[in-house]
Amino acid sequence: MQIRVQEGPFDAGAELDAFSHGRHEVGAVVSFTGIVRDPEGGLIRMEIEHYPGMTESAITAIAETAKARWGLADLLVIHRHGALPLGQPIMMVATAAAHRRAAFEAAEYLMDYLKSRAPFWKKEVTRSGAHWVEATPEDEDALSRW
């Protein structure tokens, strides 16, 4: 299990190759990469803040729950902080399991909990100013299925 909270960019393809390389004990590897997007136009960058130590502990607890619940062989979570320009990867999860359903469900669980429960604070900086991003009702509803 690997958890990384980092400021610098990462190469999702290289991370996935390294994560899945030489795995003979699993039948499925699932990955997801979240990217800074601008659905309404005008976004300059996203700024993500966190408390070192506390953030890693919270993500580790979420990851350990996923690993135990779905019997994962391994998992990877990468989440960035700092100033992130449009199109840059924000986060990545990868799960390795004996079967695809477990790998998919665990990846979705990780994404839902990272979005709503990991202690990150996100600010969108736009041409018209800056504002903090709050969790949406949809984000909270996603947790109810777990």
Side-chain angles (χ1 to χ4, degrees), residues 31-125:
S31 71
F32 171 83
T33 304
I35 299 170
V36 178
R37 64 185 165 120
D38 186 16
E40 298 178 19
L43 184 71
I44 297 169
R45 69 182 175 276
M46 167 121 11
E47 296 177 358
I48 301 176
E49 297 181 12
H50 77 109
Y51 288 118
M54 182 175 93
T55 303
E56 291 84 354
S57 292
I59 294 172
T60 298
I62 293 165
E64 287 173 345
T65 298
K67 189 171 184 185
R69 182 171 176 180
W70 283 278
L72 298 178
D74 202 2
L75 65 84
L76 166 70
V77 176
I78 303 170
H79 204 298
R80 293 181 62 196
H81 63 90
L84 304 167
L86 286 172
Q88 286 285 308
I90 299 171
M91 58 82 67
M92 176 182 182
V93 301
T95 57
H99 302 285
R100 66 187 163 142
R101 179 169 294 178
F104 273 109
E105 288 179 0
E108 285 190 276
Y109 171 90
L110 287 165
M111 292 178 297
D112 287 345
Y113 271 81
L114 287 169
K115 176 103 179 183
S116 299
R117 294 297 183 260
F120 289 102
W121 294 270
K122 300 172 186 169
K123 181 172 30 172
E124 291 182 342
V125 178

Side-chain angles (χ1 to χ4, degrees), residues 14-35:
E15 294 289 348
L16 183 58
D17 284 346
F19 180 77
S20 58
H21 181 73
R23 293 208 177 269
H24 304 289
E25 79 285 15
V26 301
V29 170
V30 169
S31 71
F32 171 83
T33 304
I35 299 170

